[in-house]
Amino acid sequence: MVTIVDTLSKSADARSERPRHPEKAHRPDNPVQRKPQWIRVKAPTSPVYRETHDIVKKNGLVTVCEEAGCPNIGECWSKKHASFMILGDTCTRACAFCNVRTGMPGAVDQKEPGSIGEAVARMGLDHVVITSVDRDDLDDGGATHFANVIRAIREQSPGTTVEVLTPDFLRKDGAIEIVVEARPDVFNHNLETVPSNYLKVRPGARYFHSIRLLQKVKELDPGMFTKSGIMVGLGEERNEVLQLMDDLRVADVDFLTIGQYLQPSKKHHPVMSFVTPEGFKAYERIAYAKGFLKVSASPLTRSSHHAGEDFADLKAARLAKLGH
């Protein structure tokens, strides 16, 4: 997953001068635990990875792969998988698990939709993921910008399927409708964790609002695929994860991803447990039994990892369910 964001008016040097997480500066340190053997990944060395890395750096782009410390960066960059982050590199929220820069974002780049459409066409992508930081400062939370990006991709690369991974648009009336009207192929919104963790892990969000968002997407367009993901290892109980699955199925969500939380720094929420590969397999079996069309559950699962292949599986699963 190569995640390329907009080039901001400020230089990379100017961005680096700002504290990355000012709201976390005075928090007590949480020691970063050593990762178990099953989570370790090889350092990226392929020529394609280096080529992608050079393109990103040469053009002064920012990637969520680097910003969020994604463990799959070597694999995804080597495959030239693409996921674009829009609306800047600075988030208005301060989630305890996230490594993306926080603060007051800059102005929205109105040329960004066209630039992304051109890039998707130039790269010849079959499937693309569009995500963003939270933009609570905007009247619609960035929904119109999402829609403009989707339409630009449709115009310039009509054969590309589009997946959006949106923020929650909390208190932004009409925002969900704007994105759904642009007709992405997959609408993804992550719950991130179980409801009992929200106050300390995702304090700016509301669990049942996120459930309602996913349910409303289906009400607006029953044929649109919906998707959500969580991290485990944040102190959740197993039964809470199973209840979360039920909540998502009530909202008719098609696709669930479950991955291991990895602590970005000593100022972030600590890892409370490392779930074994066998534990992830058990979650996967249960989720399929509950009726999800597609489940991806493993220590290194991330929302946009293998998104193109997963979308193909999702379509095939729906056809099989319908008897085709």
Side-chain angles (χ1 to χ4, degrees):
M1 168 190 68
V2 179
T3 308
I4 303 176
V5 305
D6 58 329
T7 49
L8 305 178
S9 57
K10 294 184 179 180
S11 67
D13 289 340
R15 289 196 302 271
S16 66
E17 291 172 3
R18 305 199 310 264
R20 186 174 185 82
H21 302 291
E23 80 292 338
K24 295 182 175 70
H26 301 294
R27 291 182 183 176
D29 290 353
N30 294 308
V32 179
Q33 297 185 48
R34 183 178 177 83
K35 299 179 182 67
Q37 186 64 41
W38 63 78
I39 289 181
R40 296 173 194 173
V41 294
K42 294 181 180 179
T45 58
S46 78
V48 178
Y49 169 86
R50 290 196 297 271
E51 176 187 347
T52 303
H53 178 273
D54 290 345
I55 291 171
V56 169
K57 296 306 177 186
K58 182 179 179 180
N59 290 280
L61 304 175
V62 184
T63 71
V64 79
C65 310
E66 295 171 300
E67 294 284 306
C70 181
N72 301 314
I73 187 171
E75 177 190 354
C76 292
W77 283 30
S78 295
K79 293 180 178 179
K80 287 192 173 181
H81 288 182
S83 172
F84 291 80
M85 180 182 267
I86 62 175
L87 293 166
D89 71 343
T90 304
C91 186
T92 55
R93 303 276 177 95
C95 296
F97 65 87
C98 186
N99 198 37
V100 173
R101 187 184 302 276
T102 58
M104 181 54 67
V108 175
D109 179 4
Q110 301 300 331
K111 296 181 180 179
E112 185 173 56
S115 298
I116 290 178
E118 291 176 11
V120 170
R122 187 168 63 249
M123 296 171 71
L125 300 178
D126 294 323
H127 187 82
V128 64
V129 179
I130 306 298
T131 187
S132 80
V133 292
D134 275 287
R135 290 297 302 258
D136 296 311
D137 58 309
L138 301 176
D139 290 340
D140 66 353
T144 298
H145 201 71
F146 264 98
N148 290 339
V149 171
I150 295 167
R151 294 187 181 104
I153 294 170
R154 297 274 192 242
E155 290 173 2
Q156 300 190 56
S157 185
T160 302
T161 50
V162 181
E163 178 173 331
V164 294
L165 170 54
T166 75
D168 61 14
F169 301 123
L170 188 63
R171 291 182 285 275
K172 307 294 183 183
D173 292 343
I176 303 169
E177 289 86 346
I178 291 171
V179 180
V180 171
E181 187 179 359
R183 298 190 58 79
D185 296 279
V186 182
F187 195 118
N188 184 8
H189 171 65
N190 287 334
L191 294 181
E192 307 294 5
T193 187
V194 298
S196 66
N197 279 343
Y198 263 53
L199 187 60
K200 57 185 176 180
V201 173
R202 200 180 176 214
R206 300 293 180 268
Y207 176 82
F208 286 105
H209 169 82
S210 288
I211 292 286
R212 176 58 184 148
L213 180 155
L214 291 159
Q215 184 180 42
K216 190 168 185 178
V217 171
K218 280 291 190 180
E219 291 172 357
L220 292 168
D221 188 342
M224 187 172 291
F225 288 108
T226 51
K227 177 178 175 180
S228 190
I230 64 166
M231 301 166 289
V232 290
L234 283 162
E236 71 288 332
E237 298 290 337
R238 182 174 182 274
N239 284 344
E240 291 182 294
V241 176
L242 304 189
Q243 180 61 59
L244 177 146
M245 292 180 189
D246 289 336
D247 293 342
L248 288 174
R249 289 302 302 133
V250 168
D252 200 22
V253 171
D254 301 300
F255 186 177
L256 173 64
T257 63
I258 307 175
Q260 171 69 51
Y261 168 63
L262 299 176
Q263 185 180 345
S265 80
K266 62 185 180 181
K267 294 297 184 182
H268 287 77
H269 194 287
V271 174
M272 306 303 291
S273 65
F274 286 105
V275 178
T276 64
E278 293 75 20
F280 279 102
K281 280 293 182 185
Y283 278 140
E284 181 183 280
R285 288 194 296 269
I286 293 169
Y288 273 122
K290 288 180 180 293
F292 290 98
L293 291 179
K294 175 69 179 176
V295 182
S296 179
S298 75
L300 295 176
T301 290
R302 297 296 182 266
S303 290
S304 301
H305 193 210
H306 298 157
E309 297 95 322
D310 288 342
F311 179 61
D313 291 346
L314 197 58
K315 290 189 294 183
R318 175 177 283 177
L319 289 173
K321 185 177 180 179
L322 295 173
H324 297 299

